[in-house]
Amino acid sequence: MTVQDDIAAMMDEIGARARAAASRLAIASSAAKSDALSAAADALVARAEGMVAANARDMDAARDKGLGAAMLDRLMLDEARVRAIAESLRAIAAQPDPVGEIVEAWDRPSGIAIERVRTPLGVIGVIYESRPNVTADAGALCLKSGNAVILRGGSESHHSAAAIHACLVEGLRAADLPEDAIQLVPTRDRAAVSRMLGMTGVIDVIVPRGGKGLVGLVQAEARVPVFAHLEGIVHIFLDASADPEKALRIVLNAKTRRTGICGAVECLLIHRDAIATVGQGVVRALLDAGVEVRGSAEVAAIEGVVAAGEDDWGREFLDKVIAARVVDDLDAAMDHIARYGSDHTDCIVTEDDAAAERFLNEVDSAIVMVNASTQFADGGEFGMGAEIGIATGRLHARGPVGARQLTSFKYRVRGDGAVRS
Amino acid sequence: MTVQDDIAAMMDEIGARARAAASRLAIASSAAKSDALSAAADALVARAEGMVAANARDMDAARDKGLGAAMLDRLMLDEARVRAIAESLRAIAAQPDPVGEIVEAWDRPSGIAIERVRTPLGVIGVIYESRPNVTADAGALCLKSGNAVILRGGSESHHSAAAIHACLVEGLRAADLPEDAIQLVPTRDRAAVSRMLGMTGVIDVIVPRGGKGLVGLVQAEARVPVFAHLEGIVHIFLDASADPEKALRIVLNAKTRRTGICGAVECLLIHRDAIATVGQGVVRALLDAGVEVRGSAEVAAIEGVVAAGEDDWGREFLDKVIAARVVDDLDAAMDHIARYGSDHTDCIVTEDDAAAERFLNEVDSAIVMVNASTQFADGGEFGMGAEIGIATGRLHARGPVGARQLTSFKYRVRGDGAVRS
């Protein structure tokens, strides 16, 4: 047997165990699932020192590999971060159980009563990079929604993920739930990922969490359905009637609060009638805040703005950089978004209700906004508790994916001897 | 260019037109969509004679090919059937528009108000066999849900489908909607189907309608997501507490009302404690009704029952044949269903509430029933109006797929200058 064969066999074994666990989890009580999460949180806090020590091994290796400061910060665990992860587990534990929730119910004249009720999806695969907290959040959300999960973390966070995973398994054991409900792929070999992506009939959906490289690879190779977004090419359109104060506040927050998240704005579209007033004010404020503004001709006329190149439209900077373009009207703004956007989050700043409604209805993105910062594009901000990711596809899941979107449904039909005529 | 290249180019052109039409349809008014369907129904009735004549050409060709009586009956159109198709279009026109429906709405303490609202999926491909009414029903359901559709009918119904399609296009024109919203693939070449199955990014979902051969091929080959069921291996479990009169009525209806539909029961599971009473009565009634009963040893002891072979479990007879097996208890019945079922529809006949609840919760089929005929597994019987098919997958659509399940959703977020802290 080659190494590849070995890994394929190992992944198939992990898959078979996950399916068996999924059957048991599907009928687990809400209390058992919450208990498991609370016990896992307790274990994390009790072993915080061990977590930090395991993470220190990952950090040493990462420094040896010459990873950058941003990457190191993402990877790092201290006791405060371990406590935050535990708190996140407790928050998920406290949420309502989506499984068994009756979504709708109705009676038919034929004498049957029908309920549509949420059920788990089955087995979820999560492929992620360096953030250790994804191990806990993804594991917890899948458990909450009654799904077994196969976690495949990045090689940089190998020891951290293993330490966190051990706490999750301790929680499962404490609640008498199958330990195979949350499995961590033990190998760092890339062949394990390839195998996962082809495990149709075993894994029901794959969620990739990470940069464009990882997500693009998963989307291109996967035969299993994928919930993901490749990029967050987020636009804000300053309409002619935009309120100057709101525009300023929203754009600054959407660009500078955090530049590295997918809800950060990457392109500002400015109505021609607003460029000399609201537009100019917003651009100057961005420059003052240290943001590099790459503008179309009219915007580049403002001192400090550099000329945008064609490849600055539809570009995800994830940095203190923003593209800015003047457009003739609402239609031109929506055309730009349809052409360059990524179906993630797009926003209009306007005081004109008709323009707002057209934007909300006609822009085909997972999240469309009026007069709000695009950094609200987040499961926590939507009130879902944690999110496993944000999806831009149109099948099943869309926008922030919380526990509820990790469920399917079935119909329960009750009669009293009813037959079809 | 080869013929294959020609067909690929033609399908790509059809796909591009469908996408363009989908963008316009997504923002079409409810009234325009209903008007188009009503106008199409009017056209069908006005041209009923022409429909029947076109169908006669298909019928002649089918007879020449030696198609069987059941197939010919499926294919046949007379004026009454044309009127029924028109009525179905009017019924879909009269249903509420799922697009724009606000599924949920909530406010967040951060100052944003969130709505989840239904949107179209985009472009749907429907691949079907001989029934001419599928052209109308599938076209109408996709239009109702704001989706463009590419219809690929069976070669047997070529002329009938073209005649019905012309009426649908007339309806679109009358309502000033894009004619490309409902396209019929003009070629009978099988290469068109292969091309459709790989058109990811153009077709959002494929719905195959037809026998196991067609559906299996689509499921195996498609790279586009598929809503389908391969088989309806439907079980009824007669529990120890089953009411004899209800059991008799339900099983007879579920088997004999129509034997060729996917909701027809194919396997009867009988609790050991009920075989001498309820079980025996039901089996005798089936035999009296002319049903061939293939039984396990205990059932085969009843006069007239033939011995079942191992391949009779998990078999879709679609005929006046039923498999019947004695099981020890509810768990054994559920184990049998998990092993041999097809996740379509399964039913328990019982007067024991605890057994009913366990069955409803633990059997993982799209439709689970208590004391009702499995022939209710149908979009019309569920109150959805027409259905485009029944799905047994767990992603997005499940059970009868009506207009609502042909939609996706997006989030509308409204603020008044809200920013994230």
Side-chain angles (χ1 to χ4, degrees), chain A residues 3 6-7 10-11 14 151-155 158 184-193:
Chain A
V3 173
D6 282 346
I7 285 173
M10 181 189 76
M11 292 310 298
I14 287 175
L151 300 165
R152 208 289 184 174
S155 54
H158 189 76
L184 182 68
V185 175
T187 176
R188 307 186 199 194
D189 196 304
R190 172 72 187 67
V193 172

Side-chain angles (χ1 to χ4, degrees), chain B residues 282-354:
Chain B
V282 168
V283 169
R284 288 208 168 121
L286 284 166
L287 293 168
D288 288 346
V291 176
E292 179 183 330
V293 180
R294 303 187 186 174
S296 64
E298 292 97 328
V299 184
I302 300 170
E303 200 190 320
V305 174
V306 298
E310 178 56 31
D311 65 350
D312 286 320
W313 315 122
R315 180 151 165 196
E316 191 185 32
F317 298 106
L318 295 175
D319 203 346
K320 285 185 98 168
V321 182
I322 193 167
R325 174 177 239 173
V326 170
V327 293
D328 285 340
D329 54 20
L330 174 60
D331 283 296
M334 295 196 295
D335 286 348
H336 180 101
I337 292 169
R339 177 162 175 201
Y340 294 105
S342 62
D343 292 350
H344 190 292
T345 300
D346 296 287
C347 173
I348 183 173
V349 179
T350 187
E351 297 299 308
D352 175 349
D353 288 346

Side-chain angles (χ1 to χ4, degrees), chain A residues 307-330:
Chain A
E310 178 54 34
D311 64 349
D312 285 322
W313 315 121
R315 181 151 165 195
E316 191 185 33
F317 299 106
L318 294 175
D319 203 347
K320 284 184 101 169
V321 182
I322 193 166
R325 172 176 241 175
V326 170
V327 292
D328 285 339
D329 53 20
L330 174 60

Side-chain angles (χ1 to χ4, degrees), chain A residues 121 246 253 394 416 420, chain B residues 121 246 253 394 416 420:
Chain A
L121 277 174
K246 291 178 198 169
N253 184 266
R394 280 190 297 259
D416 189 34
R420 187 168 170 191
Chain B
L121 277 174
K246 291 179 198 168
N253 184 264
R394 280 191 297 259
D416 189 34
R420 187 167 169 190

Side-chain angles (χ1 to χ4, degrees), chain B residues 133-151:
Chain B
N133 67 304
V134 177
T135 304
D137 280 354
L141 282 170
C142 291
L143 176 62
K144 185 79 191 185
S145 48
N147 297 293
V149 61
I150 300 172
L151 299 166

